């Protein structure tokens, strides 16, 4: 019997190839979209899950009170790790990790490579279970000059030779002993690095990091608990840890599961409120909706053939077939089509993955060797086949053979109503996706149009490393002399990245309980001329004023937000304090964006550091071509700093990276929204075909009585237009509520204008009517003789 079901089902599919292609095509697109979204979701949900003790590992978070709210960040004092291990019961390990300036030039013999590094305590590899190809995880970081490298980096440095105990040179002057080789770091891991060094190297590189300075937060601290059940007790002790060691310091530490640190990055008032997890949940809902839309289309297209299948059902029932046998027959057809569609979807998925990875700049892979993947795919095929085939099976098997064989059968109005409801839901979803896509792109455009406060065009940055730290002034003078640049300045970090901040500033008139978090960075001479930041008052730093770099009473510049918060009527010449240090304001510059472009610019204070810093910003000479300028900079860098490969970053490209997350969201909404709309149109196509089939004789009569093709097309399209309008009425308020909630995440945000809803509605109507019009015109052009000759 089962063999017979499959044989008849396959014959029906082969007999109606066009129908099967459209129906199967909708399922294929739906399943492929669902699988692709599930891969993306799994990529984020599996972040850091390769570690064995993941459930026992916690990252130490830091709650800082001020401005009437709580700021949460991962930076902790360097002394916190040892104190936690000593004072908190149940702690197995507590380690420090830092990637500040850890990128280094690693050389072996005559070959040098700039790679990304990490500083970590000796217990790093016993807490995080990286797979060691060579070396011992427990002892590899015990020596102060040891270094652990990844497999790819080992291949780059040593070829096929054994790397263990070989000496490499860091930054052209520090010998390092290779003590371990680990597998390459997966893409879905928080830390991406090529090598790991002992934390002692960080303290040697940065003298300020030594000693128990509880007021300086600069490293990440990780804790491994013996039992996750002791988390609450540990957090109760941690809350007062800093205060016990630094009287008056109100910062509070707490442990947060490392397994959730990638997903929950947004905190409000000390509590996790979302982050990437919100995006993950959105795409889970999108995957489910697209799969349901594909199933609904199958139902619509299957029941659209009810007139044709009715005679088959009538004859089968007349010769003794039971309803259950007919149900299984129709479900078997849908299962066969579902499995064929699933196979096609997997093929499409594999073929599209490289394009998808390139589009989203991630590294997804199809886990062919994982048996759970195939279980999931087979489950999706089964569920899709059963879900999409159940309603047509029960509906078609319910036909009464007497009415069917007498020719008086007509499809039930109840079935038509269900299909109309499903189409309304489909297009309400389509309206929402179109609205969301427009809103996301509009939000990105709005922030980009606000300006960043400096001229990012023809502005490049190079890292100050090696000999360049002592010869920055020589490079600047040489490049000015050969007309490659017009201005240059040293900065403590890239102008596109925010730096450190402090609560320690005070000024005349500051209220005793007033707390303001002030961002601070160091800049060199000609800062405003080089970057294009507008100087509003006073002067900028200059070698003509030695007081600018005076360590006891230095000069500073502040931004306009700082001037407003300090309420200084004449800021130039005003003496303010950073802790106990007196500093003099010599300039006020216009606000510029250096953190997130979606949030208000914080108050900023800039110190002068002369020709020292981490980054050298260069204003290219616009009178020459960019290529000529870059070639000359490369030539000069090779001459002055020969050990380091030249690295030149264009600031405009770096600034665009700030919009990557929103652009990714817009791209995914655009891509999968388009697929959802395409699948919805297939469903509408099926419903239009069904309606035309039901009204064939009515159309014939109307044509005989003189109806035009235009009037008949309008008659058939009107019902569908009403469905789309109902979908719009439902979708608009839902879209407004959801998108307003999303926009609340940004301090700089657009308002939801009426035209966004109108444009989304018009696009939906045009797409829907274009889909329906084909069937409507086809029915209107049909010869009435064929439809009326049996009357």
């Amino acid at each position: 019997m089962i063999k017979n079901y499959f044989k008849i089902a396959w014959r029906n599919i082969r007999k109606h190839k066009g129908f099967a292609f459209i129906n199967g095509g909708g399922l294929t697109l739906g399943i492929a979209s669902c699988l692709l979204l599930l891969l993306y979701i799994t990529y984020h949900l599996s972040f850091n899950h390769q570690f064995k003790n993941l459930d026992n590992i916690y990252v130490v978070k830091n709650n800082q009170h001020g401005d009437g709210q709580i700021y949460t960040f991962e930076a902790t004092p360097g002394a916190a790790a040892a104190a936690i291990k000593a004072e908190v019961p149940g702690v197995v390990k507590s380690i420090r990790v830092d990637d500040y300036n850890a990128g280094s030039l690693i050389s072996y013999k005559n070959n040098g490579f700039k790679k990304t590094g990490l500083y970590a305590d000796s217990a790093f590899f016993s807490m995080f279970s990286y797979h060691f190809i060579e070396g011992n995880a427990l002892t590899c970081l015990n020596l102060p000059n040891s270094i652990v490298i990844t497999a790819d980096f080992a291949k780059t440095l040593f070829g096929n030779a054994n790397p263990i105990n070989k000496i490499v040179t860091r930054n052209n002057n520090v010998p390092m002993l290779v003590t371990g080789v680990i597998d390459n770091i997966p893409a879905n891991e928080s830390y991406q690095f090529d090598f790991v060094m002992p934390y002692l190297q960080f303290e040697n590189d940065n003298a300020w990091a030594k000693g128990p300075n509880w007021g300086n937060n600069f490293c990440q601290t990780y804790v491994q608990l013996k039992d996750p059940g002791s988390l609450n007790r540990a957090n109760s002790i941690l809350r007062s840890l800093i205060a016990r060691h630094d009287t008056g310091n109100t910062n509070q530490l707490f442990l947060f599961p490392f397994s959730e640190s990638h997903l929950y990055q947004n905190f409000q008032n000390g509590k996790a409120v979302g982050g990437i997890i919100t995006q993950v949940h959105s795409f889970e809902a999108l995957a489910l909706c697209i799969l349901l839309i594909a199933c609904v289309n199958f139902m619509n297209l299957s029941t659209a053939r009810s007139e044709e299948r009715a005679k088959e059902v009538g004859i089968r029932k007349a010769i003794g077939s039971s309803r259950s046998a007919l149900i299984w027959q129709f479900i078997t057809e849908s299962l066969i089509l579902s499995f064929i569609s699933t196979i096609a979807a997997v093929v499409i998925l594999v073929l599209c993955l490289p394009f998808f990875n390139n589009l989203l700049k991630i590294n997804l892979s199809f886990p062919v060797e994982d048996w759970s993947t195939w279980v999931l795919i087979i489950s999706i095929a089964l569920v899709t086949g059963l879900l999409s085939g159940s309603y047509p099976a029960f509906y078609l098997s319910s036909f009464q053979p007497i009415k069917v064989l007498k020719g008086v059968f007509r499809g039930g109005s109840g079935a038509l109503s269900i299909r109309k409801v499903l189409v309304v839901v489909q297009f309400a979803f389509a309206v929402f996706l179109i609205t969301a896509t427009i809103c996301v792109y509009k939000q990105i455009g709005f922030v980009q149009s606000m300006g960043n406060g400096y001229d990012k065009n023809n502005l490049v940055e190079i890292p100050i490393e090696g000999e360049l730290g002592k010869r920055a002034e020589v490079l600047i003078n040489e490049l000015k002399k050969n007309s490659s640049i017009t201005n240059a300045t040293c900065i403590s970090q890239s102008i596109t990245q925010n730096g450190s901040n402090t609560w320690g500033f005070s000024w005349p008139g500051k209220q005793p309980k007033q707390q303001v978090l002030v961002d601070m960075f160091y800049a060199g001479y000609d800062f405003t001329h080089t970057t294009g930041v507008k100087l509003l008052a006073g002067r900028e730093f200059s070698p003509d004023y030695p007081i600018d770099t005076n360590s006891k009473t230095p000069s500073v510049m502040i931004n306009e937000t700082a001037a407003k918060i300090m309420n200084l009527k004449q800021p130039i010449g005003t003496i303010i304090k950073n802790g106990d240090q007196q500093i003099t304001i010599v300039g006020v510059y216009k606000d510029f964006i250096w953190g997130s472009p979606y949030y208000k610019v914080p108050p900023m204070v800039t110190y002068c550091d002369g020709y020292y810093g981490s980054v050298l910003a260069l204003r290219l000479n616009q009178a020459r071509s960019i290529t000529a300028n870059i070639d000359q900079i490369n030539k000069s860098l090779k001459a002055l700093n020969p050990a380091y490969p030249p690295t030149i970053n264009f600031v405009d490209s770096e600034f665009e990276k700030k919009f990557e997350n929103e652009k990714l969201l817009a791209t995914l909404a655009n891509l999968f929204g388009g697929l959802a709309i395409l699948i919805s149109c297939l469903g509408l196509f099926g419903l239009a075909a069904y309606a035309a089939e039901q009204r064939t004789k009515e159309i014939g009569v109307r044509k005989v009585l003189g109806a035009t093709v235009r009037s008949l097309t309008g008659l058939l399209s009107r019902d569908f237009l009403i469905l789309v309008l109902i979908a719009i009425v439902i979708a608009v308020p839902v879209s407004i509520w959801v998108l307003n909630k999303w926009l609340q995440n940004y301090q700089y945000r657009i308002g939801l204008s009426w035209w966004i809803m109108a444009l989304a509605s018009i696009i939906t109507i045009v797409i829907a009517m274009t889909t329906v019009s084909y069937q409507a015109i086809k029915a209107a052009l049909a010869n009435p003789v064929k439809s009326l000759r049996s009357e």
Side-chain angles (χ1 to χ4, degrees), residues 250-401:
T250 60
N251 285 14
Q252 296 179 338
L253 303 180
F254 68 97
L255 301 182
F256 188 78
F258 181 58
S259 59
E260 298 179 6
S261 60
H262 172 72
L263 299 173
Y264 295 89
Q265 298 170 332
N266 297 341
F267 285 75
Q268 287 182 4
N269 293 320
K271 303 292 183 181
V273 294
I276 291 177
I277 189 65
T278 304
Q279 194 179 97
V280 167
H281 288 329
S282 299
F283 289 130
E284 285 173 343
L286 182 59
L288 180 62
C289 288
I290 288 178
L291 190 60
L292 288 176
I293 286 173
C295 293
V296 167
N297 285 346
F298 189 99
M299 297 177 191
N300 284 344
L301 288 166
S302 296
T303 52
R305 294 177 57 221
S306 58
E307 288 282 337
E308 182 180 339
R309 300 300 297 269
K311 291 181 181 179
E312 176 190 343
V313 172
I315 293 172
R316 285 179 177 276
K317 281 193 171 183
I319 61 176
S321 181
S322 65
R323 186 182 182 189
S324 61
L326 289 169
I327 289 172
W328 280 111
Q329 175 64 55
F330 292 126
I331 286 180
T332 301
E333 285 186 28
S334 69
L335 282 172
I336 290 175
L337 207 54
S338 175
F339 272 93
I340 293 173
S341 300
T342 302
I343 293 170
V346 170
V347 173
I348 291 174
L349 175 66
V350 172
L351 293 175
C352 290
L353 263 183
F355 164 77
F356 192 73
N357 285 334
N358 184 59
L359 182 69
L360 302 184
K361 295 179 177 59
I362 57 177
N363 186 25
L364 300 182
S365 59
F366 184 67
V368 179
E369 70 286 349
D370 189 352
W371 63 269
S372 61
T373 301
W374 296 106
V375 171
L376 175 64
I377 290 173
I378 292 170
S379 301
I380 289 175
L382 281 171
V383 171
T384 302
L386 291 172
L387 186 63
S388 58
S390 57
Y391 172 64
F394 282 96
Y395 172 62
L396 294 172
S397 63
S398 67
F399 294 166
Q400 297 180 21

Side-chain angles (χ1 to χ4, degrees), residues 479 629-639 646-648:
L479 293 176
N629 290 330
I630 297 300
D631 287 344
Q632 186 59 56
I633 294 171
N634 277 323
K635 183 178 177 181
S636 298
L637 283 173
K638 289 176 182 177
T647 301
I648 302 175

Side-chain angles (χ1 to χ4, degrees), residues 591-657:
D591 288 345
F592 68 89
I593 295 171
W594 75 332
S596 170
Y598 298 102
Y599 295 93
K600 293 179 180 178
V601 177
M604 296 164 67
V605 173
T606 306
Y607 285 81
C608 179
D609 211 8
Y611 290 107
Y612 298 94
S614 298
V615 172
L616 181 60
L618 307 173
R619 171 64 58 187
L620 300 181
N621 186 354
Q622 297 186 47
R624 302 178 63 194
S625 69
I626 292 177
T627 303
N629 290 330
I630 297 300
D631 287 344
Q632 186 59 56
I633 294 171
N634 277 323
K635 183 178 177 181
S636 298
L637 283 173
K638 289 176 182 177
L640 293 173
N641 199 23
Y644 286 77
T647 301
I648 302 175
N649 299 314
F650 285 83
V651 172
D652 54 356
S653 299
E654 294 298 312
F655 185 78
E656 287 303 309
K657 292 179 181 178

Side-chain angles (χ1 to χ4, degrees), residues 33-90:
S33 301
C34 181
L35 290 175
L36 195 54
L37 282 167
L38 287 177
L39 272 183
Y40 180 76
I41 291 166
T42 304
Y43 172 81
H44 284 291
L45 292 179
S46 62
F47 241 77
N48 300 316
H49 276 237
Q50 63 271 24
F51 300 121
K52 294 178 182 177
N53 299 317
L54 184 64
D55 292 339
N56 291 15
I57 300 175
Y58 297 85
V59 57
V60 179
K61 298 278 188 177
N62 197 337
N63 278 340
Q64 196 170 63
H65 297 258
D67 294 341
Q69 54 186 315
I70 301 175
Y71 296 86
T72 302
F73 47 88
E74 286 188 7
T76 60
I84 292 171
K85 180 69 171 68
E87 300 178 29
V88 180

